[in-house]
């Protein structure tokens, strides 16, 4: 039996209401337990150190067709960040689109143990899972893109929510997916005809349905299926000046779906959906209006999509947005469609402090995180790699905990952006307890991961220990040591095994792939009529879709029982 005892650390475990108390954490056979044998257990002396659950990332693009295409498009991204092999780790390449092994190592070095890949075309599910298998040190899952899937649009257009629910339950099984992902609802289907939708009330070509009907319909379906996570929604008009109004309309449209005070939707990378202004010359922050709504309602969660001033790679299923970005930037560009499922695009991009729009975007992400009062609603992400690489998370933590850190960066930004920024009027500084919420506990709760994001008895023994002493350190003033600590964990423990020590990988670990096994009263029939429709809709036949068990190296199905 493997036993481990973490002694005398300052524990931050928000799901169990523990706020910096000096406690021991006992681990046995990969789980948190009440106690272990003090004489037989290995011991980590965490005196003067901060102990948190392993980090959880609700939204990070780390695998699949778009990521691989991005790797091919950007050899220059890798040349500047070559990672050598060691006696314990594989070689690879990094920066904004790291190779699979480097992705796992870098997350683990920051104390992260669970990540969610948010964009998986069903046709590309097999390869996505192969890449997830190849990403070590982490548990992970992936969200199939279903908002513009023709079968779904047909069910919703007919008002057949039960049929749609059973179909999506089946889709979760054949793709080994975790949540319903919706990107620019209706816009991706419109893009196939060279068009887009500008409003949630626009008609989608050929389907006589609107984005609002797609969003609310799938939110209702999600509730019928009792999915652990709400719908995962990338809003219409992303990245367009004035889009905060569309975002408010979207959130308002979902109010009637929420009947039990639980979140019915998670809006992704909210920064990109919170722009004010009429054009790029007048573009400004809509964070104040968005945060007022969020503070008054409880039916949504969000993640930041924080911008980092660096060279990165944008990639999204929102093909129309990427085309717009191509027209604005003139950079090399890839766009494509996955048959009748989704679209996508990839463009290199460099966020610059001396660019007024980029600097305003940087400010908006932080404004949202600080103006939304409840940290259980707003989570830390960069929408990796769209706002910047995930390994910049320690910088964001510094900005969140320290007004001094924010002002130091703001002073270096474009003068126009400085004048527009709301940050000069925001003095809030997050505590370590709140950081534990926005980087692990809140994300795990929103995902419905009952054994993640906390250190209670029965939880997965995923633990991060940082060289931060909250008793002697003023983290708001001494933010640089905090930033260094969160970038290089003193220990990362995965399933009870020490995998990182002093920021270096000391043991290889294979993570699990989680997926939702939805049990419905009636199963979708895979008959000749369905296979015929696959032949009509796609050039690739049905038999190429189902992800069989051997595609998942270590799987963890999460069984739920649907109401249909």
């Amino acid at each position: 039996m493997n036993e481990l005892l973490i002694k005398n650390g300052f524990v931050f475990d928000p799901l169990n209401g523990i706020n910096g108390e000096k406690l021991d954490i006992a681990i046995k056979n990969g789980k948190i337990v009440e106690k272990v044998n003090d004489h037989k257990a290995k011991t980590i002396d965490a005196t003067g150190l901060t102990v948190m659950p392993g980090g959880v990332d609700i939204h990070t693009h780390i695998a699949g067709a778009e990521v691989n295409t991005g790797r091919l498009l950007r050899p220059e991204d890798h040349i500047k960040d070559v990672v050598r092999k060691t006696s314990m780790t594989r070689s690879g390449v990094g920066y904004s689109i790291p190779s699979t092994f480097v992705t796992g190592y870098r997350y683990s070095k920051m104390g992260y143990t669970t990540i969610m890949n948010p964009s998986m075309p069903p046709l590309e599910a097999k390869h996505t899972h192969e890449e997830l298998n190849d990403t070590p040190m982490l548990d992970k899952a992936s969200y199939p893109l279903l908002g513009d899937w023709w079968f779904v649009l047909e069910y919703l257009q007919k008002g057949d929510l039960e049929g749609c629910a059973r179909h999506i339950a089946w889709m979760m099984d054949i793709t080994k997916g975790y949540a319903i992902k919706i990107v620019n609802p209706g816009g991706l289907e419109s893009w196939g005809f060279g068009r887009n939708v500008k409003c949630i009330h626009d008609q989608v070509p050929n389907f006589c349905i609107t984005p609002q009907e797609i969003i609310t319909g799938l939110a209702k379906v999600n509730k019928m299926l009792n999915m652990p996570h709400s719908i995962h929604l990338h809003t219409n008009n992303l990245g367009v000046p004035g889009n905060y109004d569309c975002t408010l309309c979207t959130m308002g449209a979902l109010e009637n779906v929420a009947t039990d005070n639980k979140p019915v939707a998670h809006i992704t990378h909210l920064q990109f959906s919170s722009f004010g202004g009429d054009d790029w010359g007048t573009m400004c922050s809509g964070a104040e209006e968005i945060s007022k709504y969020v503070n008054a309602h409880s039916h949504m969660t969000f993640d930041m999509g924080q911008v980092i001033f660096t060279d990165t790679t944008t990639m999204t299923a929102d093909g129309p947005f990427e085309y717009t970005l191509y027209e604005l930037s003139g950079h090399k560009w890839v766009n494509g469609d996955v048959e009748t499922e989704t679209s996508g695009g990839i463009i290199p991009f460099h966020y610059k402090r001396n660019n007024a729009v980029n600097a305003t975007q940087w400010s908006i992400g932080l404004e949202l995180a600080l103006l939304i009062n409840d940290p259980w609603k707003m989570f830390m992400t960069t929408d990796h790699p769209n706002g910047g690489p995930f390994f910049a998370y320690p910088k964001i933590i510094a900005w969140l905990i320290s007004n001094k850190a924010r002002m130091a960066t703001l002073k270096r930004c474009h003068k126009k952006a400085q004048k527009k920024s709301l940050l000069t009027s925001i003095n809030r500084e997050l505590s370590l307890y709140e950081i534990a919420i926005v980087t692990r506990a809140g994300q795990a709760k929103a995902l419905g991961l009952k054994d993640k994001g906390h250190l209670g008895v029965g939880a997965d023994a995923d633990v991060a220990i940082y060289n931060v002493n909250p008793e002697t350190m003023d983290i708001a003033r001494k933010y640089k040591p905090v930033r260094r600590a969160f970038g290089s964990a003193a220990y990362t423990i995965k399933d009870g095994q020490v995998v990182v020590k002093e920021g270096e990988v000391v043991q290889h670990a294979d993570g699990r792939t989680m997926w939702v096994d939805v049990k419905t009263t009636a199963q979708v029939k895979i008959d000749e009529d369905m296979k015929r429709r696959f032949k009509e809709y796609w050039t690739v036949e049905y038999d190429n879709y189902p992800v069989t068990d051997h595609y998942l190296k270590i799987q963890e199905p999460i069984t739920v029982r649907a109401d249909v």
Side-chain angles (χ1 to χ4, degrees):
M1 295 183 182
N2 295 317
E3 296 184 338
L4 179 66
L5 185 62
I6 303 168
K7 292 185 66 66
N8 206 35
F10 293 100
V11 177
F12 294 87
D13 182 8
L15 281 169
N16 290 299
I18 299 171
N19 186 2
E21 299 173 37
K22 287 185 179 180
L23 297 173
D24 295 347
I25 303 296
I27 295 170
K28 185 175 181 178
N29 294 336
K31 291 286 186 179
I32 307 293
V33 295
E34 288 187 6
K35 61 181 181 179
V36 292
N37 187 319
D38 289 358
H39 300 293
K40 293 183 178 179
K42 293 181 180 179
T43 300
I44 293 176
D45 183 3
T47 301
L49 304 180
T50 287
V51 179
M52 292 183 178
V56 179
D57 198 338
I58 200 169
H59 187 104
T60 176
H61 298 266
I62 53 97
E66 63 184 359
V67 176
N68 247 347
T69 303
R71 289 171 179 142
L72 290 170
L73 180 69
R74 300 215 59 199
E76 71 279 6
D77 189 61
H78 304 316
I79 290 171
K80 66 184 179 186
D81 191 6
V82 176
V83 179
R84 296 182 180 276
K85 75 182 293 291
T86 70
S87 60
M88 188 58 60
T89 62
R90 298 263 301 257
S91 62
V93 289
Y95 214 66
S96 67
I97 327 171
S99 52
T100 53
F101 280 87
V102 173
T103 297
Y105 301 148
R106 287 187 172 172
Y107 262 111
S108 191
K109 289 179 180 182
M110 295 192 303
Y112 275 72
T113 54
T114 304
I115 62 173
M116 312 301 275
N117 184 61
S119 179
M120 178 172 69
L123 183 58
E124 306 290 348
K126 290 182 177 180
H127 179 71
T128 301
H129 284 295
E130 287 175 327
E131 284 200 66
L132 292 178
N133 288 341
D134 213 33
T135 305
M137 323 298 284
L138 305 163
D139 292 337
K140 49 257 173 181
S142 199
Y143 314 148
L145 288 153
L146 298 172
D148 285 69
W149 172 268
W150 275 17
F151 284 96
V152 166
L153 295 180
E154 288 176 350
Y155 279 117
L156 294 179
Q157 190 274 329
K158 292 185 293 185
D160 184 3
L161 294 185
E162 288 194 4
C164 187
R166 293 190 182 99
H167 182 85
I168 286 179
W170 171 72
M171 286 298 301
M172 291 296 156
D173 179 35
I174 71 162
T175 64
K176 299 299 184 283
Y178 190 85
I180 297 172
K181 179 64 182 291
I182 307 169
V183 172
N184 186 7
L188 308 191
E189 177 57 27
S190 300
W191 184 239
F193 299 91
R195 296 159 60 184
N196 196 3
V197 293
K198 301 297 183 183
C199 168
I200 64 171
H201 305 296
D202 285 353
Q203 288 283 323
V204 179
N206 303 318
F207 284 96
C208 299
I209 193 172
T210 66
Q212 178 174 328
E213 290 169 319
I214 296 171
I215 295 165
T216 58
L218 287 176
K220 292 174 183 176
V221 162
N222 201 75
K223 291 185 70 175
M224 295 164 69
L225 294 174
N226 294 315
M227 296 288 285
H229 184 40
S230 62
I231 59 170
H232 201 82
L233 174 62
H234 163 134
T235 59
N236 301 107
N237 289 329
L238 179 131
V240 177
N243 65 8
Y244 83 93
D245 188 53
C246 181
T247 304
L248 289 172
C249 289
T250 301
M251 294 191 288
L254 284 159
E255 284 184 40
N256 292 332
V257 182
T259 57
D260 51 10
N261 205 35
K262 292 181 180 179
V264 295
H266 175 87
I267 290 186
T268 67
H269 35 73
L270 186 58
Q271 173 271 134
F272 289 105
S273 301
S274 301
F275 295 178
D278 299 316
D279 53 34
W280 292 113
T282 60
M283 181 264 189
C284 59
S285 172
E288 189 168 16
E289 292 82 356
I290 294 288
S291 60
K292 283 179 181 178
Y293 181 92
V294 175
N295 287 334
H297 297 83
S298 299
H299 64 291
M300 313 280 292
T301 58
F302 313 85
D303 64 82
M304 291 171 67
Q306 177 62 40
V307 158
I308 306 296
F309 296 122
T310 188
D311 174 46
T312 192
T313 308
T314 66
M315 55 178 63
T316 173
D318 194 344
F321 166 73
E322 287 288 27
Y323 179 68
T324 299
L325 195 60
Y326 160 70
E327 289 188 309
L328 287 170
S329 68
H331 294 160
K332 57 183 176 180
W333 161 64
V334 171
N335 239 48
D337 280 331
V338 182
E339 304 260 43
T340 58
E341 298 177 8
T342 184
S343 65
I346 301 155
I347 296 176
F349 201 80
H350 197 138
Y351 294 101
K352 300 177 181 178
R353 292 183 185 86
N354 61 0
N355 179 291
V357 170
N358 296 166
T360 299
Q361 288 182 267
W362 170 83
S363 183
I364 290 172
L366 294 171
E367 290 164 13
L368 289 165
L370 297 166
L371 288 173
I372 292 174
N373 297 327
D374 186 353
W376 294 94
K377 294 180 181 178
M378 186 69 170
F379 313 133
M380 191 186 80
T381 66
T382 61
D383 181 23
H384 167 82
N386 288 290
F390 65 80
F391 56 79
Y393 285 176
K395 288 185 178 180
I396 306 175
I397 290 173
W399 291 326
L400 291 175
I401 65 172
S402 173
N403 186 48
K404 180 182 176 182
R406 297 194 292 270
M407 292 304 101
T409 302
L410 183 62
K411 287 177 182 177
R412 299 172 63 194
C413 290
H414 193 284
K415 297 296 184 184
K416 188 176 180 181
Q418 289 186 42
K419 291 178 181 179
K420 291 181 178 182
S421 176
L422 304 178
L423 292 178
T424 54
S425 64
I426 303 172
N427 294 319
R428 183 182 178 191
E429 295 173 326
L430 299 194
S431 65
L432 287 173
Y433 186 80
E434 291 172 311
I435 290 297
I437 294 172
V438 301
T439 62
R440 49 261 287 158
Q443 306 208 28
K445 181 180 178 182
L447 288 164
L449 294 172
K450 296 179 180 179
D451 295 335
K452 303 288 187 185
H454 71 99
L455 299 173
V457 172
D460 290 344
D462 296 347
V463 187
I465 305 176
Y466 299 106
N467 189 18
V468 175
N469 187 329
E471 199 170 55
T472 61
M473 182 183 294
D474 181 346
I475 63 171
R477 291 180 58 81
K478 301 292 184 180
Y479 63 87
K480 289 183 180 178
V482 177
R483 186 174 65 199
R484 288 194 293 271
F486 276 93
S488 182
Y491 292 90
T492 302
I493 297 162
K494 181 78 193 74
D495 292 325
Q497 301 294 319
V498 175
V499 294
V500 167
K501 185 176 180 180
E502 301 300 336
E504 296 298 328
V505 175
V506 295
Q507 182 172 319
H508 177 91
D510 285 320
R512 302 182 293 276
T513 298
M514 301 168 290
W515 61 280
V516 179
D517 182 13
V518 187
K519 303 297 185 184
T520 55
T521 55
Q523 300 296 315
V524 171
K525 293 182 179 179
I526 313 303
D527 54 20
E528 291 306 313
D529 179 62
M530 172 174 272
K531 292 185 177 183
R532 175 186 58 78
R533 293 172 73 196
F534 267 87
K535 289 181 179 180
E536 291 176 355
Y537 293 173
W538 291 273
T539 58
V540 178
E541 295 187 11
Y542 162 80
D543 291 336
N544 291 279
Y545 274 80
V547 176
T548 49
D549 287 346
H550 79 276
Y551 279 94
L552 279 66
K553 190 174 184 179
I554 306 173
Q555 63 173 305
E556 184 179 343
I558 297 171
T559 302
V560 299
R561 297 205 171 273
D563 295 332
V564 291

